[in-house]
Amino acid sequence: MGFLDSILGRSKPKQANLDALFLVPSAAITLQTTLGLTPTGDGSVCYRAAAGAGFSQTQGDVLELLRDAADAPEVEVSSDSFGFTWLQVHRDASDTSGLCTDLHAVNTGLEAEGFGPALLCSLVPFADPTGRRVGLVYLYKQGTFYPFAPQPGGAQQRDNLLEIQVRDVLAAELPVEREMSRWLAIWGAPGL
């Protein structure tokens, strides 16, 4: 950032560190041992799909990359009521490393083709035997994670206590978003 930028109040946005997704498998072990939350085997990347052949080709290439792998996961694409696209990956629940590699590939594939600004977040859901669910949400534009825990039963209410517990347990392992105002509710996200 230059001198003029600092005088005019301009700042560079924080760059995403997609390699932070590779920290999730060790965080999964911590969540399992401390809170009884285990990975579900699902994960997804949320983005705003762009109109045009270029984006369609890029999305097709990313899907082909995932589906042609030797240990290819199940992959599907859906849209939510807000107009965002969710590319969902389904793996065995014990393969969190493979899941994170897939999510990393989706993000880097879109970013490499110039669609990085369209990326919103990545999501890795966890659950416990009582039905509590929490997702580790990676905010692409912030380069940080936050927990999102919807209350069971379909009502759009959050389990704030569980979110705070997850934040505190993972603070030493993941770059956790400090601004709780950025902990957005992602109602209807796949896997939650």
Side-chain angles (χ1 to χ4, degrees):
M1 184 164 79
F3 178 71
L4 187 58
D5 289 333
S6 64
I7 289 175
L8 296 174
R10 295 184 203 143
S11 63
K12 290 184 180 180
K14 185 173 182 172
Q15 290 296 103
N17 176 14
L18 292 174
D19 288 346
L21 289 169
F22 295 122
L23 299 173
V24 171
S26 67
I29 293 168
T30 301
L31 286 177
Q32 185 171 5
T33 58
T34 58
L35 299 174
L37 294 161
T38 57
T40 64
D42 296 322
S44 52
V45 176
C46 181
Y47 52 90
R48 182 162 309 276
F55 186 83
S56 292
Q57 179 65 41
T58 299
Q59 181 174 282
D61 291 346
V62 168
L63 289 168
E64 184 178 335
L65 172 73
L66 293 174
R67 290 177 176 151
D68 288 349
D71 62 341
E74 293 178 43
V75 182
E76 60 186 281
V77 178
S78 63
S79 295
D80 65 20
S81 60
F82 299 105
F84 289 99
T85 300
W86 291 86
L87 193 148
Q88 303 162 54
V89 178
H90 309 283
R91 283 198 171 270
D92 184 85
S94 65
D95 191 8
T96 308
S97 295
L99 177 69
C100 291
T101 300
D102 295 337
L103 298 178
H104 188 275
V106 172
N107 280 290
T108 55
L110 292 172
E111 184 181 60
E113 294 300 318
F115 298 107
L119 290 166
L120 181 64
C121 67
S122 294
L123 171 68
V124 180
F126 293 79
D128 74 5
T130 66
R132 293 187 314 167
R133 297 181 83 76
V134 64
L136 283 182
V137 181
Y138 178 76
L139 288 172
Y140 179 81
K141 290 177 177 51
Q142 300 300 321
T144 55
F145 290 87
Y146 72 89
F148 173 67
Q151 288 278 7
Q156 289 191 349
Q157 295 180 338
R158 296 171 81 157
D159 186 342
N160 298 114
L161 179 59
L162 179 57
E163 291 177 353
I164 299 299
Q165 288 174 325
V166 170
R167 177 198 67 186
D168 293 346
V169 164
L170 297 181
E173 292 191 50
L174 296 175
V176 176
E177 178 57 50
R178 293 183 181 162
E179 284 292 323
M180 291 179 74
S181 62
R182 292 187 179 135
W183 291 21
L184 303 175
I186 49 175
W187 305 117
L192 285 179

